[in-house]
Amino acid sequence: MMEVQKTEQSENPLGTQPVSRLLAEFAIPSIIAMLVSALYNIVDQFFIGHYVGMLGNAATNVAFPLTMSCTAISLMCGIGGAANFNLNMGRGNQEKAARYAGNAVLMTLAIGVLLSVFTKIFLQPMMVAFGATDQTLAYSLTYTGITSLGFPFLIFTTGGSNLVRADGSPRFSMLCTLIGAIVNTALDALFMIQFQLGIQGAAWATVIGQVVSAALVAVYLTRFKTVALKRECFRPKAACWGNIARLGMSPCINQLAMMAVQIVLNNVLTFYGGQSQYGGDIPLACAGIISKVGMMFFSIVIGISQGMQPIVSFNYGAKQYTRVLEAVWKSIACATVISIAAFFCFQMFPRQIIGLFGQESEAYFQFAERYFRIYMFFTFANQFQPIVANMYTSIGKAAAGAFMSLTRQILFLMPLLIFLPKFFGLEGAMYAAPIADFVAFFVAGTMLMRETRLLKNAVNKEAV
């Protein structure tokens, strides 16, 4: 058995090729896939802003928490399944790895259908709870009522793409998302400009693009490279679902936390905005655009962390701890460069960025510029928390990963969003984010140093 394991490790490029080359090979397609995924929302925001207006943009912000919930579920199933898959491949257990891949696919489909049905049943109360005003409610119901049909396809695509990447095909994983986004963009233009379908056109374009992406992932799963996904691999096993959820809980919690914060933020902005010179709809619309632009930046960081995952998981399973450390620190170095560049863009060009999504009143732009600069101030340090959280997931330490995912959003940002506006009004909502970002950065750095010491000690023991 030991000889078989050594052979598997020597043949698998994750255990032998230079880490820098592997990171480029896995992270770049992952970044592109995440950016393209974020573009689904950005493209809709662009066309809606120009052909529906500010209220349409506000409506997509109200619907955004449900998109986050889809991402949360897909990351739980996809990253949890991919981490278990790569850990078992590193240990030389191909049969068990295949079983985890099959069950992860099954999870994405089952939970995706349940979420779609749940949304259809409770659509109106959910939209009101998510911050819809009297003026934006009708738009929110129309847009979300249609896009909820695509939830199973969105979850299957995002979750399945992680398994495709774990199987050693990061470019195909990227291609699945890219083609869907191209379809979405083309149909947005066709439905909204040519057919003048308004917000309904944007919603249907999104769903059709998601169906195309899901079809491509499904085709790949029938031709898995490293192991054969036989019919028995897709039989549900409670132990597999539990372990997938355990290792996928960290990125899932991070997205659910972002969803909860978005809901609270929407309500805070409409309530305290209504007491200001801007009213409730301007802050709601601006926050929606800025959140989605921020997601473009976070997509790059998450793409780097996802590209890191199979390298870290395989080498941790193979007890090659030096390669684990190299992958983690090189990922952080790359993400730091991106974060600093994003910080300068957000601080120097907020009006130009906001202007891409439609022309509104001067009051609208005044609020947007100020909100953008303050809320996104700590962008240059925001890379640590998601990468450290995913590192813990990749090495099987689910509890530490889940804690890291809770730090910024739930433990720090949520309380600040609730209490600061009570004393400082709309200004308090703006300053909550940079304060939370700073504390989360400190916690992530501390935990990273601790894990680095543990891995270095493990390297020293292996050398003895």
Side-chain angles (χ1 to χ4, degrees):
M1 180 64 184
M2 186 62 69
E3 288 299 322
V4 173
Q5 183 172 336
K6 287 180 179 178
T7 301
E8 289 293 333
Q9 292 169 8
S10 64
E11 290 179 352
N12 197 312
L14 290 171
T16 58
Q17 286 190 5
V19 170
S20 297
R21 184 190 303 172
L22 288 170
L23 274 175
E25 181 182 347
F26 281 83
I28 291 173
S30 180
I31 290 168
I32 294 172
M34 289 300 300
L35 283 172
V36 169
S37 182
L39 277 173
Y40 272 108
N41 297 301
I42 289 288
V43 167
D44 280 356
Q45 200 89 55
F46 174 83
F47 280 100
I48 290 170
H50 283 278
Y51 296 98
V52 177
M54 183 185 73
L55 294 179
N57 272 335
T60 63
N61 188 30
V62 172
F64 197 47
L66 281 170
T67 302
M68 290 181 174
S69 69
C70 289
T71 305
I73 294 166
S74 61
L75 291 179
M76 178 186 71
C77 301
I79 291 182
N84 278 289
F85 175 84
N86 287 125
L87 283 168
N88 280 285
M89 290 295 289
R91 294 165 184 154
N93 196 334
Q94 290 190 344
E95 183 179 345
K96 198 171 183 180
R99 195 180 309 129
Y100 274 112
N103 273 258
V105 170
L106 192 61
M107 284 180 71
T108 64
L109 293 171
I111 302 176
V113 170
L114 287 175
L115 179 63
S116 180
V117 172
F118 182 85
T119 302
K120 279 292 187 182
I121 294 173
F122 299 103
L123 181 58
Q124 182 159 338
M126 289 173 76
M127 294 297 95
V128 173
F130 290 174
T133 64
D134 292 340
Q135 291 181 291
T136 59
L137 181 59
Y139 290 105
S140 303
L141 292 173
T142 299
Y143 184 79
T144 313
I146 295 171
T147 55
S148 62
L149 298 173
F151 289 172
F153 302 101
L154 173 59
I155 293 170
F156 175 76
T157 297
T158 309
S161 292
N162 282 280
L163 295 170
V164 173
R165 192 179 305 113
D167 189 48
S169 299
R171 292 181 183 176
F172 190 88
S173 174
M174 171 195 71
L175 191 65
C176 293
T177 311
L178 180 60
I179 291 176
I182 292 171
V183 170
N184 177 33
T185 304
L187 291 179
D188 264 327
L190 179 65
F191 291 165
M192 299 188 73
I193 300 174
Q194 182 67 31
F195 296 155
Q196 298 183 353
L197 294 179
I199 203 166
Q200 294 183 45
W204 280 116
T206 297
V207 172
I208 295 170
Q210 290 164 352
V211 171
V212 171
S213 292
L216 291 170
V217 173
V219 169
Y220 181 91
L221 292 174
T222 64
R223 304 170 184 176
F224 226 57
K225 293 193 308 184
T226 52
V227 295
L229 295 184
K230 301 176 182 177
R231 183 176 298 177
E232 54 265 27
C233 297
F234 296 93
R235 290 175 185 167
K237 291 187 178 293
C240 286
W241 285 45
N243 284 329
I244 290 169
R246 184 174 63 86
L247 290 190
M249 194 53 63
S250 170
C252 175
I253 288 175
N254 191 45
Q255 287 292 320
L256 290 176
M258 290 173 66
M259 179 188 76
V261 166
Q262 187 70 46
I263 294 169
V264 171
L265 180 61
N266 286 351
N267 284 280
V268 166
L269 290 174
T270 53
F271 179 78
Y272 290 99
Q275 300 174 9
S276 73
Q277 59 179 316
Y278 302 108
D281 291 317
I282 285 179
L284 187 64
C286 292
I289 294 172
I290 292 166
S291 292
K292 292 179 178 67
V293 172
M295 282 301 297
M296 292 291 289
F297 154 69
F298 275 110
S299 294
I300 300 175
V301 175
I302 293 171
I304 292 171
S305 72
Q306 288 186 354
M308 174 193 77
Q309 179 270 314
I311 306 167
V312 169
S313 291
F314 183 90
N315 285 286
Y316 192 83
K319 298 185 178 180
Q320 299 188 82
Y321 302 122
T322 302
R323 290 174 63 81
V324 172
L325 284 170
E326 186 181 357
V328 171
W329 280 103
K330 285 186 174 179
S331 297
I332 288 174
C334 293
T336 299
V337 173
I338 299 297
S339 300
I340 292 172
F343 166 77
F344 281 111
C345 286
F346 294 164
Q347 294 301 311
M348 295 175 67
F349 308 111
R351 189 182 185 99
Q352 290 86 339
I353 294 172
I354 292 292
L356 294 173
F357 301 93
Q359 297 299 315
E360 299 291 341
S361 66
E362 184 59 28
Y364 172 92
F365 279 106
Q366 286 177 358
F367 177 82
E369 285 186 65
R370 182 166 173 74
Y371 183 95
F372 212 147
R373 287 195 172 104
I374 295 173
Y375 199 80
M376 303 297 287
F377 180 78
F378 250 93
T379 300
F380 62 87
N382 279 349
Q383 72 278 18
F384 273 85
Q385 188 252 358
I387 289 180
V388 174
N390 201 31
M391 174 197 72
Y392 279 115
T393 297
S394 300
I395 63 178
K397 295 187 177 182
F403 170 75
M404 275 304 309
S405 295
L406 287 170
T407 52
R408 180 191 183 267
Q409 305 290 341
I410 298 299
L411 298 182
F412 307 140
L413 183 54
M414 183 80 82
L416 289 168
L417 277 176
I418 293 172
F419 290 110
L420 284 183
K422 291 181 181 294
F423 302 99
F424 304 104
L426 207 54
E427 293 280 303
M430 296 186 199
Y431 281 99
I435 297 172
D437 289 340
F438 173 77
V439 182
F441 162 73
F442 178 79
V443 172
T446 302
M447 292 186 69
L448 177 62
M449 291 296 103
R450 177 181 176 275
E451 194 60 39
T452 297
R453 286 195 300 271
L454 292 175
L455 287 170
K456 285 182 176 178
N457 289 337
V459 170
N460 294 332
K461 287 180 181 179
E462 288 288 319
V464 174

